[in-house]
Amino acid sequence: MPNQPEMSPATKELLKKVRMIVPPMLEKFHKGMLGRVAVIGGSENYTGAPYFSAMASARLGADLSHVICTPPAANVIKTYSPNLMVHPLMRESPSHSTPSTLASPVIAMLAHLHSLVIGPGLGRDDLMQDTVAEVISAARDKKVPLVLDADALWLIQRRPELVKGYKECVLTPNVVEFGRLAQAVGLDTKGDTGKEGCKALANALGGVMVVRKGGVDWISDGSDDWTVVGDGQGGRKRSGGQGDTLTGSIGTLLAWRNMYLEGAWDTEGNMGRQETLMLAAFGGSAITRECSRLAFGKRGRSLQASDLTDEVPVAFETLIGEKEESKL
């Protein structure tokens, strides 16, 4: 048993609520019910990020974890793990295909997904960005929960209307990305990237859930009720790729949230859509910070993103724990 993390009373109470949206593993559930999550990302230069996101989703407990990427990235990502389903549907410029044509098979997958993560390893190629814009619009129409990070946030900086007012959407900017988003919507936070700044950006975007990553993670949909802080202890190494564990974890928790809201088991708490959206974001933050703490304790300054992946199930057990109904 790893040494236990230090937690504030508020964090302990929130984790109890996160546990409520985690489904037990019951014999009546069939393949796919415990989470069908896809990650759109992965391009010629970036293959690690979508893998780390999708693997975090899988290691947290999603039944099916997909990566939707370009053909060169697919060939590489397939060698990383046979546990992921990799779809080479995206294209970078130059290409004879249009964004609408490329988005069509991805949009067809939406009916079979519980949540969609967009951005890890996406890059800023115009064709990739325009294709993703089409997918976001379709996902919004179909009410598929979204997690947007990295270069998907670059898209939102230029086209904030894509997500404005969509309350099934989680954005996960770091401090720099947060500042760019604030500027894009004409918001002067006066350098405040903490609680009030996070609330202001969420409000400016019409109530989307913002997770502002940093020394602590501020999480808000713009309201006082669902503004919380992820203050769990993390590691001190800031290697690239740790945010991908966050997006994948939130993706799985959003899938479980869907089951909770549908009453797929004997649920408790009678919580609504906004509260459970906040809890999915908070839970992802808490798990990622605990993965970082555990990995840093073992690896120190040599810590890499892959070390967090290995700690996902340990962090889950430490912070949330398995339900009795799931045990043999």
Side-chain angles (χ1 to χ4, degrees), residues 35-297:
R36 300 185 296 273
V37 182
V39 178
I40 299 181
S43 50
E44 183 175 7
N45 294 327
Y46 305 107
T47 59
Y51 164 77
F52 292 133
S53 181
M55 279 304 296
S57 174
R59 295 301 300 273
L60 186 54
D63 279 353
L64 301 172
S65 191
H66 302 260
V67 176
I68 302 169
C69 58
T70 64
N75 292 335
V76 176
I77 294 169
K78 287 177 180 180
T79 69
Y80 293 160
S81 173
N83 297 310
L84 303 178
M85 286 159 285
V86 184
H87 310 270
L89 300 176
M90 302 292 287
R91 296 292 186 274
E92 293 180 275
S93 304
S95 172
H96 295 298
S97 300
T98 67
S100 295
T101 300
L102 293 169
S104 180
V106 181
I107 292 170
M109 294 177 63
L110 296 178
H112 307 288
L113 298 176
H114 290 122
S115 65
L116 180 63
V117 178
I118 304 178
L122 182 68
R124 298 179 182 179
D125 175 80
D126 287 342
L127 183 57
M128 294 280 278
Q129 293 268 312
D130 290 344
T131 302
V132 161
E134 299 258 357
V135 174
I136 290 173
S137 295
R140 183 170 181 166
D141 289 342
K142 298 176 183 297
K143 295 181 171 54
V144 177
L146 297 173
V147 186
L148 304 185
D149 188 38
D151 285 322
L153 298 178
W154 177 261
L155 172 63
I156 301 308
Q157 290 165 34
R158 295 183 294 117
R159 298 181 59 184
E161 71 279 1
L162 285 169
V163 298
K164 189 172 184 179
Y166 185 45
K167 296 187 177 182
E168 292 289 313
C169 182
V170 180
L171 309 183
T172 60
N174 59 29
V175 172
V176 174
E177 291 163 336
F178 182 95
R180 291 172 179 162
L181 285 168
Q183 185 178 21
V185 296
L187 184 65
D188 182 9
T189 62
K190 296 182 172 59
D192 183 358
T193 62
K195 178 180 179 180
E196 295 305 320
C198 190
K199 286 174 60 179
L201 179 59
N203 270 319
L205 287 168
V208 303
M209 192 68 66
V210 175
V211 180
R212 198 280 289 141
K213 301 177 289 192
V216 297
D217 298 338
W218 279 105
I219 301 161
S220 180
D221 69 346
S223 71
D224 290 330
D225 288 341
W226 313 130
T227 297
V228 298
V229 62
D231 58 1
Q233 184 182 8
R236 296 183 180 179
K237 179 67 184 296
R238 301 292 184 260
S239 59
Q242 296 186 52
D244 302 315
T245 295
L246 174 65
T247 58
S249 297
I250 294 175
T252 291
L253 287 163
L254 287 175
W256 293 344
R257 165 184 176 258
N258 182 71
M259 293 184 68
Y260 174 89
L261 293 171
E262 291 182 348
W265 73 96
D266 187 14
T267 59
E268 56 181 321
N270 193 31
M271 297 181 292
R273 302 196 73 86
Q274 281 305 104
E275 183 174 9
T276 51
L277 185 71
M278 176 274 291
L279 290 171
F282 177 84
S285 165
I287 288 167
T288 302
R289 297 179 76 88
E290 177 64 2
C291 288
S292 176
R293 185 188 76 88
L294 292 168
F296 183 75

